[in-house]
Amino acid sequence: MSVSSSLANLIDRNAPFWTAEAEIFRAYWEWEGRSRETDRLWLVRQSYKEFWDGFVSPFEQLKAAFEKIDRGIGRHEALDFAATLHEEFAHYVAFADAYEELLEPGDPRLDPEKLRLDGDWPENGALVQLRKQHKEEFGDLGHRAHFFTEGGYCTLYAEGMKLAGRGGVDDLIAMACKRVFDDEFEHMLKGIIGLDAETTSEEEWESLAEMTVAQMQYRIHMRNAQFSYPVEGTALDRLVAGDCPAMPFDWKRAGLTPPS
Ligand SMILES: [Fe+2]
Ligand SMILES: [Fe+2]
C-alpha cells in the first residue's frame, strides 16, 4: 500500500522526536545515577502504562461488546478487542515479571490496584491531559493524533532489546522489550493506516502535525521523568526541540510504500 505525501510529511515531522525519545533510554542505560531503585521505579511505571493505559481500554470495549457480538458488533471487531487485550495484558505481565525479579525478600509485590494508586506520575498525567484536550478541541482528528503518537514509534522496546547479552537486569529488560516490540509495531501501524482515508484537507494535516509534535514533546518529558531525569539542561532542551536526526521509518516492515 502506498501512502500520500501528506502522510509521509507527518512521519517526517515526528521522526526527529522519535530519535529524541530513544536518546532518553540510551542516556539512562549508561547513566551514573542509574540504580536498582531507578530500575524498579521505571518498571513499575511501565507496568502501570501497560495495564491502565494499554489493557483497560480493549477490556472495556470487549465487555461492552459482549452482548452485541454478531448482533450489532461484528465478530471480527470483537476478536480485534480480544487480541489487543491479550497483547496488552501480556505486556503488563512482561514488565511486572521483570520488576519482581528485582525485589529483595520481603519487598511488597506489585498488583494492578497498587499501580492504580501509586504507578502514575505527573508528566504522564500531563500527556494524558494534553491528549484529552486535543480530543475535546478537535474531536476525531484529536483521536487520530493520539493514536499516531501512541507508543512513540516503539523506541523504548527497540532500545531495550539492544541490552540483550549485557547480563543481569539488562537481560531481563531486553527480554520484556522483545516480548512487546512486534505487538506495539502493529499497534503503531493501526494509528497510521487509515489516516490517508480519513484526513481530507491541508488544514487537517497541519493540525495533525502540530498536535502530534506537541504530544511527542510531552512524551519526552514523560519518559525523562519515568527514568528519574537522566537528561537535563540544554541536552534536554535540544531533545524537546526535536533537534535530532530523524529516525528512519521502516517502510518495509510496515508493508507501506513511501511516495516517490
Ligand atoms: Fe503495550
Ligand atoms: Fe499497545
Side-chain angles (χ1 to χ4, degrees), residues 84-127:
T84 309
L85 87 81
H86 178 269
E87 286 164 3
E88 295 296 354
F89 195 76
H91 303 169
Y92 161 67
V93 169
F95 283 104
D97 283 355
Y99 168 79
E100 289 193 342
E101 291 283 341
L102 299 185
L103 295 182
E104 310 285 355
D107 282 344
R109 295 170 67 98
L110 176 154
D111 65 60
E113 183 56 14
K114 266 192 219 141
L115 287 177
R116 191 179 66 79
L117 296 172
D118 300 325
D120 202 2
W121 64 105
E123 290 84 349
N124 191 51
L127 172 66

Side-chain angles (χ1 to χ4, degrees), residues 143-168:
H143 282 273
R144 278 178 253 162
H146 178 172
F147 219 20
F148 186 88
T149 62
E150 188 95 67
Y153 196 63
C154 308
T155 53
L156 169 60
Y157 313 116
E159 293 305 317
M161 279 162 69
K162 293 182 189 162
L163 297 176
R166 292 182 17 155

Side-chain angles (χ1 to χ4, degrees), residues 138 141 199-211:
F138 291 89
L141 197 64
T199 313
T200 48
S201 67
E202 274 315 303
E203 291 73 38
E204 280 197 336
W205 282 111
E206 184 53 32
S207 300
L208 261 186
E210 285 169 16
M211 282 189 278

Side-chain angles (χ1 to χ4, degrees), residues 23-201:
E23 292 281 346
I24 302 277
F25 312 123
R26 291 180 201 143
Y28 176 76
W29 307 140
E30 309 302 335
W31 183 42
E32 80 253 345
R34 182 181 176 192
S35 66
R36 199 179 183 82
E37 271 321 298
T38 60
D39 275 338
R40 279 163 47 151
L41 182 65
W42 84 258
L43 286 165
V44 163
R45 289 173 164 180
Q46 192 59 33
S47 303
Y48 170 87
K49 280 184 84 67
E50 300 293 354
F51 192 91
W52 288 103
D53 296 345
F55 167 71
V56 169
S57 153
F59 178 68
E60 294 295 342
Q61 283 169 313
L62 188 61
K63 259 198 335 198
F66 184 73
E67 307 240 310
K68 296 185 218 127
I69 294 172
D70 288 336
R71 313 174 75 174
I73 289 179
R75 72 191 70 139
H76 292 276
E77 200 184 333
L79 180 61
D80 214 38
F81 296 149
T84 309
L85 87 81
H86 178 269
E87 286 164 3
E88 295 296 354
F89 195 76
H91 303 169
Y92 161 67
V93 169
F95 283 104
D97 283 355
Y99 168 79
E100 289 193 342
E101 291 283 341
L102 299 185
L103 295 182
E104 310 285 355
D107 282 344
R109 295 170 67 98
L110 176 154
D111 65 60
E113 183 56 14
K114 266 192 219 141
L115 287 177
R116 191 179 66 79
L117 296 172
D118 300 325
D120 202 2
W121 64 105
E123 290 84 349
N124 191 51
L127 172 66
V128 169
Q129 195 51 42
L130 179 71
R131 284 169 162 162
K132 189 164 164 262
Q133 184 195 317
H134 284 160
K135 285 177 237 181
E136 280 165 6
E137 206 172 318
F138 291 89
D140 189 49
L141 197 64
H143 282 273
R144 278 178 253 162
H146 178 172
F147 219 20
F148 186 88
T149 62
E150 188 95 67
Y153 196 63
C154 308
T155 53
L156 169 60
Y157 313 116
E159 293 305 317
M161 279 162 69
K162 293 182 189 162
L163 297 176
R166 292 182 17 155
V169 61
D170 283 354
D171 278 343
L172 292 171
I173 294 166
M175 233 162 56
C177 288
K178 187 170 189 298
R179 170 64 194 81
V180 173
F181 181 82
D182 289 340
D183 292 345
E184 287 301 342
F185 197 85
E186 289 303 312
H187 295 181
M188 185 241 354
L189 279 183
K190 283 190 195 164
I192 288 181
I193 291 171
L195 277 180
D196 267 336
E198 292 160 347
T199 313
T200 48
S201 67

